[in-house]
């Protein structure tokens, strides 16, 4: 991907997207679930409807796939498998959203797509059409999708047109802030699979712009202007990380950068892109959260800090921290790249859904 980018043959993320194509499977229904590709609010979605006769109204999940806002598809093998299992085992309607991707569509377009689908689905008439219990709907996502799920949950609370309240938010190894890209987890897991630090920096910067100036500033962690320094209180890891995750790192405070980048690309200071920047008052009314973090993951500290801030705001949180796992570990649940840790994480996730959705 890097070579193709340097030679001008193909944008870095476009060549990375070939992974998505290789993982894409043909749409098929089975004896348990009817699967269709359709649109909700003019956004493509893959819809999973259980065939089992409902015992009353069904549960529902609106799911946002990962891939750094640049990659991924609801039709990838893992996402299809997960959605089928949730639909079949929980007798739930699953809406897996194919939001538009960067670099073709920068922030806020991916967020607006997933928000539009969620708001549309939460209408009484739509929930009734699919036999969904309005009191048992959640949003969920992994990695960049976890970012989108957290942002959607926050935004719904400020939308007077939305009457239905979410039952839960599920955030699987989520990316939650673009302010401090030198957290202990970023430094300790600099070159670990599947998400080295510089790739995550590339994902973050491409979410906002393809201007290499922002990418370079983010890589140096010098992209936040001094006038936005007050936001660092929300991502101060010396306060929000437990001691065992701080390691030998000593918090030194932010190093500020040029105000020009923030003026040109203000998205990285927006809570819709960095949900950890939300005030305590905005966090307080949020629905219960399930947060999965992995020890060997640059995004570990994002999820840990959000779990801490939600708890401090009075939000019920189930925080599952996997000390032996890496970013995206749950995807390795299928042959030929099948790992026992993926089955363990997926089973724990399913158990929580059974009990809390």
């Amino acid at each position: 991907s890097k070579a193709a980018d340097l030679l001008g043959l193909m944008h870095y993320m476009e060549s990375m997207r070939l992974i998505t194509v290789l993982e894409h499977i043909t749409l098929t229904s089975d004896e348990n679930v009817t699967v269709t590709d359709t649109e909700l609010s003019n956004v493509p979605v893959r819809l999973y409807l259980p065939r089992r006769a409902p015992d009353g109204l069904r549960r529902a999940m609106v799911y946002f796939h990962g891939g750094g806002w640049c990659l991924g598809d609801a039709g990838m093998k893992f996402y299809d498998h997960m959605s089928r299992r949730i639909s079949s085992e929980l007798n739930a309607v699953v809406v897996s959203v194919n939001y538009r991707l960067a670099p073709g569509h920068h922030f806020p377009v991916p967020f607006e797509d997933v928000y539009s689908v969620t708001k549309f689905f939460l209408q009484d008439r739509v929930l009734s059409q699919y036999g969904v219990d309005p009191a048992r709907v959640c949003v969920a996502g992994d990695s960049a999708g976890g970012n989108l799920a957290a942002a959607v949950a926050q935004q719904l609370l400020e939308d007077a047109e939305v009457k239905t309240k979410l039952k839960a938010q599920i955030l699987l190894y989520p990316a939650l802030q673009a302010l401090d890209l030198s957290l202990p987890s970023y430094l300790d897991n600099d070159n670990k699979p599947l998400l080295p630090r510089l790739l995550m920096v590339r994902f973050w910067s491409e979410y906002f712009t393809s201007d290499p100036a922002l990418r370079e500033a983010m890589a140096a962690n010098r992209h936040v202007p001094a006038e936005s320094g007050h936001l660092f209180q929300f991502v101060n890891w010396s306060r929000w990380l437990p001691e065992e995750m701080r390691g030998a790192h000593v918090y030194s405070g932010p190093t500020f950068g040029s105000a020009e980048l923030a003026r040109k690309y203000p998205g990285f200071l927006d809570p819709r892109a960095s949900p950890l920047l939300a005030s305590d008052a905005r966090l307080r009314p949020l629905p219960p959260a399930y947060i999965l973090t992995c020890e060997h993951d640059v995004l570990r500290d994002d999820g840990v800090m959000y779990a801490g801030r939600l708890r401090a705001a009075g939000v019920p949180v189930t925080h599952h921290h996997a000390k032996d796992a890496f970013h995206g570990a749950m995807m390795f649940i299928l042959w030929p790249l099948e790992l026992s840790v993926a089955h363990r994480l997926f089973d724990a996730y399913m158990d929580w859904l059974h009990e809390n959705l």
Side-chain angles (χ1 to χ4, degrees):
S1 297
K2 189 178 292 185
D5 196 33
L6 289 172
L7 292 170
L9 301 175
M10 188 182 293
H11 188 281
Y12 181 87
M13 289 303 171
E14 290 177 349
S15 53
M16 287 280 285
R17 206 170 290 164
L18 295 174
I19 301 169
T20 300
V21 175
L22 292 172
E23 281 289 304
H24 199 278
I25 63 172
T26 305
L27 181 146
T28 55
S29 299
D30 58 37
E31 66 274 14
N32 299 313
V33 181
T34 300
V35 186
T36 55
D37 282 339
T38 184
E39 290 188 352
L40 295 183
S41 192
N42 298 313
V43 178
V45 302
R46 182 159 285 196
L47 187 63
Y48 296 80
L49 300 175
R51 295 192 174 190
R52 177 159 37 112
D55 181 17
L57 295 175
R58 292 187 167 102
R59 299 181 260 206
M61 171 184 287
V62 185
Y63 194 87
F64 315 130
H65 66 74
W69 309 278
C70 298
L71 317 172
D73 190 282
M76 289 174 65
K77 189 175 181 182
F78 165 72
Y79 293 120
D80 181 75
H81 173 82
M82 178 172 64
S83 296
R84 285 174 192 274
R85 281 193 58 180
I86 290 170
S87 182
S88 176
E89 295 179 27
L90 274 71
N91 203 22
V93 175
V94 177
V95 180
S96 192
V97 185
N98 269 325
Y99 53 92
R100 286 172 288 179
L101 301 172
H105 304 279
H106 297 297
F107 175 84
V109 173
F111 169 78
E112 289 173 342
D113 280 357
V114 297
Y115 188 77
S116 177
V117 170
T118 308
K119 182 174 177 177
F120 179 86
F121 186 72
L122 289 175
Q123 295 177 96
D124 287 342
R125 64 175 182 84
V126 179
L127 294 173
S128 177
Q129 176 186 344
Y130 293 111
V132 171
D133 184 344
R136 304 181 80 182
V137 183
C138 72
V139 290
D142 64 296
S143 194
N147 165 283
L148 294 168
V152 165
Q154 290 182 10
Q155 190 72 18
L156 285 171
L157 295 173
E158 301 185 358
D159 194 330
E161 296 178 352
V162 180
K163 307 304 180 186
T164 302
K165 304 296 183 185
L166 292 176
K167 174 80 169 179
Q169 53 179 323
I170 292 106
L171 317 177
L172 308 175
Y173 24 82
L176 295 169
Q177 60 85 35
L179 254 70
D180 189 349
L181 303 182
S182 290
L183 299 171
S185 61
Y186 270 93
L187 300 177
D188 293 343
N189 301 295
D190 185 14
N191 286 304
K192 290 184 181 176
L194 296 170
L195 189 64
R197 178 180 183 271
L198 287 182
L199 178 56
M200 190 62 225
V201 168
R202 184 72 185 249
F203 281 140
W204 269 123
S205 63
E206 291 286 355
Y207 190 25
F208 306 114
T209 175
S210 292
D211 182 350
L214 180 61
R215 181 168 73 250
E216 291 162 7
M218 283 184 154
N221 212 34
R222 294 173 178 266
H223 55 292
V224 179
E227 53 262 42
S228 300
H230 63 285
L231 295 174
F232 278 93
Q233 65 181 303
F234 300 126
V235 298
N236 183 340
W237 59 263
S238 69
R239 177 182 179 188
W240 294 110
L241 281 188
E243 190 171 346
E244 65 269 19
M245 291 186 180
R246 300 176 201 172
H249 301 285
V250 177
Y251 188 76
S252 59
T255 302
F256 297 113
S258 164
E260 182 183 355
L261 284 173
R263 281 196 294 268
K264 289 173 72 175
Y265 314 114
F268 65 84
L269 302 173
D270 191 321
R272 295 175 302 165
S274 293
L276 255 169
L277 302 187
S279 66
D280 292 346
R282 199 176 190 212
L283 298 181
R284 211 163 284 132
L286 283 169
Y290 179 89
I291 300 176
L292 170 64
T293 56
C294 299
E295 181 68 23
H296 308 288
D297 180 5
V298 293
L299 298 180
R300 177 197 70 192
D301 295 350
D302 283 21
V304 172
M305 289 195 295
Y306 200 51
R309 288 201 58 212
L310 288 174
R311 282 200 185 106
V315 178
V317 177
T318 299
H319 177 204
H320 181 189
H321 181 63
K323 292 186 176 181
D324 59 346
F326 52 89
H327 187 80
M330 198 185 289
M331 298 184 76
F332 292 85
I333 199 173
L334 300 169
W335 186 89
L337 301 174
E338 193 171 359
L339 299 176
S340 59
V341 65
H343 285 279
R344 193 181 76 242
L345 297 181
F346 193 87
D347 289 345
Y349 169 48
M350 290 294 292
D351 288 345
W352 190 89
L353 289 174
H354 274 288
E355 295 176 12
N356 295 279
L357 181 57

